[in-house]
Amino acid sequence: MNQNKQRQQALAPLTKSEPWDMLIIGGGITGAGIAREAARRGLSVLLIEQKDFAWGTSSRSSKMVHGGLRYIASGDYKTTLLSVRERERLLDEASGLVNEMHYVMPHYKGKFPPPWIFNTLLRVYDKIAGKRYFKYFKKDAFLRLNPNIKQDKFLGASQFSDAITDDSRLVMRVLDEAVHDGAQAINYLKAESLLTNEQGLVVGAMLKDTASNNSNQTFDIHAKVVVSATGAWADTLRRQARAQSGHSFHQQIRPSRGSHLVVSQERLPIQQAYTFLHPADKRAVFVFPWENRTVLGTTDLDHPPLNDQEVGITNEEVDYLLDATNSLFNETGLNREDVISTWAGVRPLISDGGDGKRVSPSKEKRDHSVWLDNNLVTVSGGKLTTFRLIALDVLAKCQEVLDLDDSATQNLKTNSDQVFNNPTPTHAKFATLPKLLQQRLQGFYGLQLDNLLALAHDDDLAYVTDSNTIWAEIRFAARYEQVIHLDDLLLRRTRLGLILPHGAMTPLISARLKQICQQELGWNEQKWQQEVARYSELWQRYYHLPAA
């Protein structure tokens, strides 16, 4: 099937004449989670995203599913409790997609935090989880296993566990579950404006197809409740909704940029994550293994007012992350030439607006907030880990607008519902795969895995060079996952553009990518060259190093 037919199929649900129960604007993890919980309760749900699914913060996070250890230190026990429970739930339900990762905090004489304080926190952390993850390594034992770290005044190291994921695949997995329960999800549809009735209440939105630069196709979509789950962009639609009733509006969202560097495992070989305080500003930073690479992160800086453009790292952030890593690892000497790629995302911190005396972004709370303005429900803030709990809070707020019957609401407050279905694959090819690949594919694709294997050519079961990705994943995404542009395929459906040199645009890899896109998307030579030019410019500007 060519791309035009795929797009026509994707847009077909927009011809529905009766109002939807819920229109969700925003295709990140929060929107996907809301769609999942609403659809499983029998609501008719349409989710739309103005760019690609997970295009914003949800493909550019630090990939960590964590309990929020620092919340204990700040006295926010409840947030840690909820986060740890959700982390354990995801480790159990989405193994292969959400995986346990060991973290270590090295301790140095005279440096904060001293072992006794940190280890006390870790014992509380484990008590919440109901599992024993904490372990303390004395100096000599740790250095035998980690000879490359700085040894001057080294005391020992504390080990604990959290989890790591592929954030954009997590979004796609949750969306798959929502669609399986009846939701519709369409990317590259922008909410141009809200629709209101005579009372000024929001009753839908005018959507514009943004899949091509030439498209002027619009759709008036009506819904009983409209949910804005646009993260760092949440103030835009709230301002529109409040303007309908003449209410003033004060900005709530404080965009904060977090940036990351990717280097090879050969340059910095690690098997676990390291967390430590940056020597310059004493902020916690991380170095961790991900997708056969090593990631350095993250920064936490106020970001300028947002538009619809990509977000990229700055030279100052590059230096900041390299300096931090080189301060911990002896003789590593990482420099700009070692950087394979970068990514930067914007966190939607909730701020009271302040008076110019705001705390630093790192000290803002990470809680989410839900607002109701003239039938527009807006949610922003929060953590990747707690997307399910955020969704339940949004549905509770929607009950103030929707008349949900008992069958739809009886499970709203329970914690027993599984997020993921995990059927056993039946396709014969599954049994031929290595165990680790089986686990990964089950976690990544869940209900869709048999379809992926059925579509795969024999040579599609091979890995793409030294990545964990097989070619079948690229073919499946192109056929079934609403791929519009090459960056959808290489930066979000797979992460090859982040882990392979030159954004995966080396001759051998690009030749095979071209073949798959021609077969599954119907791209001709002209279209392929247009997409390569578009992707290369975007990658060079936002996913590599900024000009020195």
Side-chain angles (χ1 to χ4, degrees), residues 24-38:
I24 301 168
I25 301 169
I29 189 60
T30 301
I34 298 164
R36 170 73 178 119
E37 296 301 328

Side-chain angles (χ1 to χ4, degrees), residues 8 23 82 94-95 109 128 136 155-156 179 187 194-195 224 251 305 353 370 458 478 503 515-516 532:
Q8 288 169 12
L23 169 63
L82 296 174
S95 175
K109 186 176 181 179
I128 293 171
Y136 185 75
L155 299 174
V179 170
N187 60 358
L194 297 173
L195 303 177
K224 297 173 186 175
Q251 181 173 333
V370 184
D458 288 343
Q515 182 185 52
I516 291 174
V532 169

Side-chain angles (χ1 to χ4, degrees), residues 43 53 62 101 127 145 301 307 321 382 436 513 529 532:
L43 301 182
F53 300 126
S62 293
M101 185 165 69
K127 185 174 182 180
L145 299 172
L301 301 167
N307 52 29
L321 294 173
L436 283 177
L513 282 171
Q529 294 299 336
V532 169

